[in-house]
Amino acid sequence: MGFRVLPVPDGLDGQRVDSALARMLGLSRTKAGELCAQGRVVSEGNVLTKSDRLLGGSMLEVDLPQPRSPEPVARQVDDMGIIYVDDDLVVVDKPAGIAAHPSMGWEGPDVLGALKARNISVTTSGAAERQGIVSRLDVGTSGVMVVARSEYAYSSLKQQFREHSVDKIYHTLVQGHPDPTSGTIDAPIGRHPSREWKMAIIEGGRASRTHYDMIEAMPRASLLEIHLETGRTHQIRVHMSAVGHPCVGDETYGADPQLSQETGLKRQWLHAVELSLTHPATAQRVTFTSQYSADLAHALEVVRL
């Protein structure tokens, strides 16, 4: 969104402003009319009304308002566990299918809304839709996640994540058998060049490093322990796919649909099992853990057969 300058196509010559804007910007005709009523549509220095007629080849100046980020709405999530809570932080056991915080286009539950439903307040630090969030898990990733409740904790935890002093351990079940069985994947990650909803290894992307160790090898898959040196969006999923071993169930990044069906997985086999950090108030090192959820445990048993 923001300020846009648009040439009027010849095919829209003589069209009403609201009708043409709706077609050019993908808006509803009502919304386009509201922009006109607010004086946000200008051509040749003249503010246009919704019923004015456009001239093909002319230029439109449209001031589109920035969309408001959704704020957390109290919504109970019964299967989200509370691992630990005090005045400074709350540690949750996030199930799959719940986002870390509300976002445009997401209509499902989120951690902040679930905490609000339980009357667990968080700090007001951060953007309105993600207050208290210092690190996120994907919607389809389960496990341990921390949220700041005080302003001091928010600043401290953000700094710890920036300095990579927070230890994040994940377990993932990947297809095949990585060779070597322990190693580091160091490859930059950025937005996929043609699919905005995906990430990819690209030149000029952000530095990303993933360390992995084999826990168990099975006929068709391997259980790995992952230590993240950086925390990029979809990092584990992108890196494991890039080396030819996508997370089981992660069809977005190349997992075998047949194996997904056999295991019953509706999401990637990826779980945040452990989080260690320095408590902002006590300066003591604390560690929180999470057990595999039922769908992951079942899938693991299937691939062991």
Side-chain angles (χ1 to χ4, degrees):
M1 294 295 183
F3 190 77
R4 300 279 298 275
V5 178
L6 306 168
V8 178
D10 290 339
L12 296 181
D13 181 59
Q15 292 286 313
R16 282 173 53 111
V17 174
D18 56 355
S19 177
L21 268 184
R23 295 178 62 182
M24 294 168 70
L25 295 174
L27 305 172
S28 68
R29 190 164 174 174
T30 298
K31 182 62 178 178
E34 290 174 357
L35 292 176
C36 294
Q38 295 166 2
R40 293 176 177 269
V41 184
V42 176
S43 181
E44 308 297 332
N46 299 312
V47 177
L48 302 180
T49 69
K50 65 180 182 180
S51 58
D52 284 336
R53 303 286 173 168
L54 292 178
L55 178 65
S58 63
M59 302 298 292
L60 283 183
E61 299 173 14
V62 184
D63 183 13
L64 293 167
Q66 294 293 334
R68 291 183 60 188
S69 296
E71 295 188 8
V73 175
R75 185 171 179 176
Q76 187 67 38
V77 178
D78 294 330
D79 56 345
M80 188 184 82
I82 302 296
I83 298 173
Y84 175 85
V85 62
D86 64 18
D87 292 339
D88 294 290
L89 51 86
V90 54
V91 181
V92 304
D93 196 352
K94 188 188 90 64
I98 173 173
H101 58 76
S103 60
M104 298 297 292
W106 172 252
E107 297 180 354
D110 61 84
V111 169
L112 294 185
L115 291 175
K116 192 172 184 178
R118 299 186 192 191
N119 295 315
I120 299 176
S121 61
V122 300
T123 179
T124 56
S125 298
E129 78 280 6
R130 55 180 183 273
Q131 290 176 346
I133 298 293
V134 292
S135 180
R136 296 174 288 181
L137 294 178
D138 294 345
V139 170
T141 300
S142 52
V144 62
M145 176 181 155
V146 63
V147 182
R149 299 194 67 202
S150 68
E151 184 176 349
Y152 177 74
Y154 180 83
S155 298
S156 173
L157 292 171
K158 290 288 283 187
Q159 183 67 21
Q160 290 183 54
F161 275 101
R162 279 195 296 268
E163 294 175 348
H164 310 301
S165 61
V166 176
D167 292 326
K168 299 172 289 184
I169 300 177
Y170 296 78
H171 285 182
T172 183
L173 186 68
V174 301
Q175 294 178 192
H177 308 103
D179 184 15
T181 56
S182 295
T184 296
I185 305 169
D186 189 345
I189 292 176
R191 288 287 172 190
H192 193 286
S194 61
R195 295 177 177 84
E196 268 190 33
W197 42 273
K198 287 183 66 174
M199 307 300 287
I201 292 175
I202 61 170
E203 185 177 353
R206 300 178 70 186
S208 308
R209 283 172 295 279
T210 301
H211 308 285
Y212 70 89
D213 293 285
M214 179 85 74
I215 298 174
E216 180 182 355
M218 289 150 275
R220 294 180 292 170
S222 302
L223 182 63
L224 306 180
E225 180 169 295
I226 303 288
H227 293 255
L228 291 182
E229 188 173 329
T230 54
R232 310 305 179 206
T233 300
H234 297 183
Q235 179 173 324
I236 297 172
R237 301 166 64 190
V238 171
H239 273 175
M240 296 316 302
S241 176
V243 296
H245 301 285
C247 302
V248 174
D250 192 5
E251 295 176 29
T252 297
Y253 288 103
D256 180 6
Q258 179 63 36
L259 189 55
S260 300
Q261 184 175 358
E262 290 179 32
T263 57
L265 283 173
K266 304 297 183 183
R267 49 104 168 195
Q268 65 269 12
W269 204 113
L270 180 60
H271 189 73
V273 297
E274 186 174 301
L275 180 69
S276 297
L277 53 87
T278 301
H279 194 288
T282 67
Q284 297 296 310
R285 195 70 176 173
V286 289
T287 298
F288 307 101
T289 61
S290 169
Q291 300 298 312
Y292 298 159
S293 53
D295 62 334
L296 299 187
H298 172 73
L300 188 57
E301 290 305 311
V302 169
V303 298
R304 279 175 172 153
L305 297 177

